[in-house]
Amino acid sequence: LTLGLQGGLAQSEDYVLAQVYQRLLADARTELTYPAYLAGLTYGLSVSASGFELRLAGYDDKQPQLLAEVLENFTALPLNADKFALYRAELMREWGNFDRERPYTQTVASIGHLLIDGRWPPAELAAALEGKSVADLEQWRKRRLAGITVNGLVHGNANANTAEIMAELVAKHLPLADFPLHKAAIRNVVEPLQLELPIDHQDASLALYIQDPDSSYATRARSALAVQLVRQAYFTALRTEQQLGYVVALSSRSLLDRGGLTFIVQSPVAGPAQLQQATRRFLVAQIDAVQAMDNAQFEQSKAGLIARLTERDKNLGQRSARYWADLQLGITQFDSAQQIAQHAAEIGKPEIVAFLRSAVDKLDSQSLVIFNRGKFAALPEQGKTISDIAKFKRG
């Protein structure tokens, strides 16, 4: 279930208070955890861009009772100042520890912090929560939990009757209101951008992101196939042959429903400028490499991508995650992976060569480079410098 709040959690202040409230709710339901486990049930409550997400799993005949207990007093939970202080400190400590993560972890995560509304750098979250009191949480709850809209998914062995019972329980325990769910959106990269992170580490790291022009299945299939074709070559070129870093990867992981290419390197021997230049040389070389690729090899790589996209779910939890991810994007046929696979099957080598040429052009005109300099002096030269993430997102 998505328990959507009017306007969602569009501000960092809303998000951090929702996180505290989620932990207070979980604390209040601690006594349910072990009995639910013994009864073959599990549940979890998390915070999303829309509001809260509640997941139940296990024996379908017992889920309505667990749902009722979890939702009881959801909007009127007694607030304890000591527990508020405890979870506020816990969250601030977790967010404050993010700058101890490995450099490449921080640079890759910062792509989402920068481009997706509803995501913020951990340091900004910690600053937003600092100084908040239980009175602030009470006022937030009165304002944000006065009306809730619900989007739900029931699948597995549950039947229509079980779904209707659960819908009635939701209506009984929550102040329902009819308004659109807030959906996170991604910012378009329309110019060269660069962001330096102040990471205290001798290694340099680089995350170079080239965004797909749109979120169509055909476009996502092209970028996914391009990565499938050249991912291993990127690792071999920069790590094995040039020995520029021990973390070298090329990813096609989507941000929401937008695909793209993300080049990732962490290096103790080369700075971000050198890593960017090496990545550019690699991408240019791949135009000729793919053109010269044997047709059988091309088709084999394509078949590997299609097999991965159409692989059967290994368990019910994996299927739930796939269904839910599609539903959050408004895909009610739950077939996004199959759609991408179908488009990938129709792609020929000339399309991938054209895609790679376009990617090289975008390196200079529409890419995002996030880096830390480590012990190196030379920095990437191209791109508009982002000095304040919050200001950039407001603009």
Side-chain angles (χ1 to χ4, degrees):
L1 300 175
T2 294
L3 310 179
L5 312 182
Q6 183 74 55
L9 303 178
Q11 304 298 323
S12 58
E13 181 176 294
D14 284 322
Y15 181 83
V16 299
L17 289 173
Q19 286 282 5
V20 176
Y21 197 66
Q22 178 269 328
R23 297 202 178 194
L24 290 170
L25 286 166
D27 180 271
R29 303 291 183 264
T30 300
E31 72 280 0
L32 294 178
T33 305
Y34 188 61
Y37 170 76
L38 292 178
L41 297 168
T42 60
Y43 75 95
L45 181 67
S46 59
V47 178
S48 73
S50 297
F52 296 96
E53 291 185 0
L54 174 62
R55 290 178 170 83
L56 306 180
Y59 296 120
D60 56 278
D61 60 326
K62 299 176 181 178
Q63 285 189 24
Q65 180 182 348
L66 178 60
L67 177 64
E69 293 178 353
V70 171
L71 291 181
E72 186 177 4
N73 292 328
F74 186 90
T75 61
L77 180 74
L79 299 180
N80 179 284
D82 290 337
K83 286 190 175 181
F84 173 89
L86 172 68
Y87 291 120
R88 180 186 62 192
E90 184 177 272
L91 282 163
M92 290 182 65
R93 183 168 59 252
E94 290 175 12
W95 290 326
N97 286 338
F98 180 72
D99 63 7
R100 299 179 185 178
E101 294 285 347
R102 290 172 290 185
Y104 82 91
T105 300
Q106 295 187 54
T107 52
V108 173
S110 295
I111 298 173
H113 299 157
L114 189 67
L115 297 181
I116 299 177
D117 71 346
R119 295 190 194 175
W120 298 270
E124 183 178 339
L125 296 177
L129 187 54
E130 187 174 12
K132 295 297 181 187
S133 67
V134 70
D136 294 318
L137 182 62
E138 180 65 64
Q139 290 300 314
W140 176 86
R141 179 170 67 176
K142 288 179 180 178
R143 186 173 67 251
R144 303 309 305 279
L145 272 64
I148 295 174
T149 192
V150 177
N151 192 25
L153 168 69
V154 178
H155 78 101
N157 293 330
N159 55 31
N161 182 58
T162 302
E164 289 174 1
I165 292 172
M166 296 177 82
E168 290 170 1
L169 289 170
V170 168
K172 176 182 176 181
H173 289 284
L174 298 177
L176 297 185
D178 186 16
F179 53 81
L181 280 174
H182 173 78
K183 294 183 179 179
I186 185 168
R187 185 186 184 110
N188 292 326
V189 179
V190 297
E191 60 184 326
L193 300 168
Q194 65 171 259
L195 170 68
E196 180 179 1
L197 300 180
I199 298 173
D200 184 16
H201 200 286
Q202 289 294 294
D203 286 1
S205 68
L206 175 83
L208 195 162
Y209 173 67
I210 303 173
Q211 187 180 65
D212 281 353
D214 57 61
S215 58
S216 69
Y217 292 131
T219 300
R220 292 171 68 183
R222 278 193 294 273
S223 58
L225 182 53
V227 169
Q228 178 80 7
L229 288 163
V230 306
R231 175 195 287 125
Q232 184 58 46
Y234 184 59
F235 178 88
T236 300
L238 269 70
R239 191 183 192 280
T240 306
E241 297 173 356
Q242 300 176 46
Q243 298 186 0
L244 290 181
Y246 49 86
V247 176
V248 176
L250 170 56
S251 170
S252 62
R253 184 175 63 91
S254 296
L255 296 179
L256 303 179
D257 60 351
R258 186 70 70 88
L261 310 180
T262 305
F263 297 88
I264 305 159
V265 191
Q266 180 174 325
S267 175
V269 298
Q274 185 178 350
L275 298 176
Q276 182 186 32
Q277 292 160 8
T279 298
R280 191 183 198 286
R281 287 193 300 270
F282 167 81
L283 194 54
V284 170
Q286 288 309 298
I287 296 172
D288 291 336
V290 172
Q291 273 186 321
M293 185 177 290
D294 179 85
N295 286 335
Q297 183 183 353
F298 181 85
E299 292 299 326
Q300 184 180 18
S301 291
K302 187 197 295 188
L305 172 64
I306 293 171
R308 178 167 58 83
L309 289 168
T310 57
E311 183 181 13
R312 288 177 60 87
D313 300 310
K314 292 182 174 62
N315 51 56
L316 197 60
Q318 192 177 78
R319 181 172 301 171
S320 295
R322 178 170 60 83
Y323 284 169
W324 190 248
D326 273 2
L327 186 62
Q328 295 299 85
L329 295 171
I331 303 168
T332 55
Q333 298 300 313
F334 307 108
D335 64 347
S336 64
Q338 289 82 357
Q339 291 276 5
I340 294 170
Q342 288 174 18
H343 282 86
E346 302 300 320
I347 296 174
K349 245 195 320 186
E351 290 178 76
I352 296 300
V353 170
F355 175 87
L356 293 173
R357 285 200 177 102
S358 173
V360 170
D361 291 340
K362 284 188 173 184
L363 278 176
D364 301 324
S365 61
Q366 289 177 270
S367 65
L368 169 63
V369 176
I370 300 180
F371 66 93
N372 78 291
R373 67 177 68 194
K375 61 187 176 185
F376 305 94
L379 304 180
E381 295 181 358
Q382 284 186 311
K384 174 183 176 182
T385 299
I386 299 169
S387 56
D388 185 320
I389 293 179
K391 184 177 179 180
F392 172 81
K393 296 182 80 165
R394 286 195 301 269

